[in-house]
Amino acid sequence: DADVTQTPRNRITKTGKRIMLECSQTKGHDRMYWYRQDPGLGLRLIYYSFDVKDINKGEISDGYSVSRQAQAKFSLSLESAIPNQTALYFCATSDPGLAGGPHNEQFFGPGTRLTVL
Amino acid sequence: QKEVEQDPGPLSVPEGAIVSLNCTYSNSAFQYFMWYRQYSRKGPELLMYTYSSGNKEDGRFTAQVDKSSKYISLFIRDSQPSDSATYLCAMSDGGTSYGKLTFGQGTILTVHP
């Protein structure tokens, strides 16, 4: 089973609709992240959370909100979707105490492809 | 100017070629340098990482960091069609209180038989 799962994998919606993207992880990591990926722009950080009570804005948080329901769950919401939020969205986790690699290695889910018409 | 610059390509090479992927950066506080590989319709996965300056080799892959020039490279020897993917460089200042990674734009690589 995948360690980081995202639902849905694909979503088409209309301008103005509220959308929630969900992320679950079984890795036991405290840190979770939401990114969006656009062609030519790489991965840009939307929000991140270091534990259930800690939520922080990333570089492009406008138009988005998040909820950390539990250590294993981190949801991203688009309150009123607009076409320029069409992108590939990734959830990631990390554990700074992880042995054997860089302490800030991030583990990504498979992504959600969101289209806003 | 972006903190990390990476040529998005696309890059197309024949099987067996040596591939060179590069990133430049502006933040001198970066200490951890990583390369992620992303296959189509998948999330990125860590391929290699290097701490500070120097070289690191893993099979056909070599990562180089030149902090004096703020320049990192990934070399792929004897490239294979299975190497076709998007390669993203990522960097961190190593602060455990944040853990933020700054990514390059990604380079799309195609290795054709």
Side-chain angles (χ1 to χ4, degrees), chain A residues 67-97:
Chain A
S67 173
R68 185 82 183 265
Q69 301 94 323
Q71 185 203 40
K73 296 185 181 297
F74 193 34
S75 300
L76 176 72
S77 293
L78 286 68
E79 298 301 326
S80 179
I82 56 177
N84 78 357
Q85 291 178 313
T86 293
L88 194 52
Y89 289 85
F90 286 101
C91 173
T93 72
S94 71
D95 176 4

Side-chain angles (χ1 to χ4, degrees), chain A residues 9-10 31 33 35 37 40-43 45 48 50 57 88 90 96 100-106 108-110 113, chain B residues 2 8 32 34 36 38 41-44 46 49 86 88 92-101 103-106:
Chain A
R9 292 294 311 277
N10 293 281
R31 298 183 178 187
Y33 311 81
Y35 293 90
Q37 186 175 38
L41 295 178
L43 287 164
L45 184 64
Y48 63 99
F50 278 1
K57 293 182 178 181
L88 194 52
F90 286 101
H103 69 268
N104 47 9
E105 177 182 1
Q106 293 184 10
F108 287 82
R113 187 171 297 278
Chain B
K2 291 177 69 68
Y32 283 94
M34 305 175 192
Y36 280 77
Q38 182 181 16
R41 307 193 69 79
K42 301 284 188 180
L46 183 66
Y49 74 93
T86 297
L88 299 126
S92 169
D93 63 10
T96 56
S97 63
Y98 188 174
K100 176 188 175 186
L101 294 179
F103 286 88
Q105 295 93 320

Side-chain angles (χ1 to χ4, degrees), chain A residues 8-66:
Chain A
R9 292 294 311 277
N10 293 281
R11 181 72 183 268
I12 299 174
T13 190
K14 295 182 178 180
T15 297
K17 293 292 187 180
R18 185 177 188 274
I19 295 294
M20 179 180 286
L21 309 182
E22 298 187 342
C23 175
S24 294
Q25 54 113 346
T26 59
K27 301 185 77 66
H29 292 171
D30 285 328
R31 298 183 178 187
M32 298 186 74
Y33 311 81
W34 274 105
Y35 293 90
R36 66 176 280 175
Q37 186 175 38
D38 300 274
L41 295 178
L43 287 164
R44 292 183 292 166
L45 184 64
I46 306 172
Y47 271 95
Y48 63 99
S49 169
F50 278 1
D51 63 42
V52 177
K53 297 180 181 179
D54 177 76
I55 303 289
N56 302 281
K57 293 182 178 181
E59 60 182 300
I60 54 162
S61 59
D62 287 347
Y64 301 95
S65 63
V66 291

Side-chain angles (χ1 to χ4, degrees), chain B residues 8 14 18 26 32 36 38 40 45-46 50 56 59 61 67 72-73 83 85 88-89 95-96 103:
Chain B
I18 296 174
S26 57
Y32 283 94
Y36 280 77
Q38 182 181 16
S40 180
E45 290 183 313
L46 183 66
T50 308
K56 188 171 185 177
F61 298 87
K67 291 189 72 177
I72 72 170
S73 300
D83 295 327
L88 299 126
C89 61
T96 56
F103 286 88

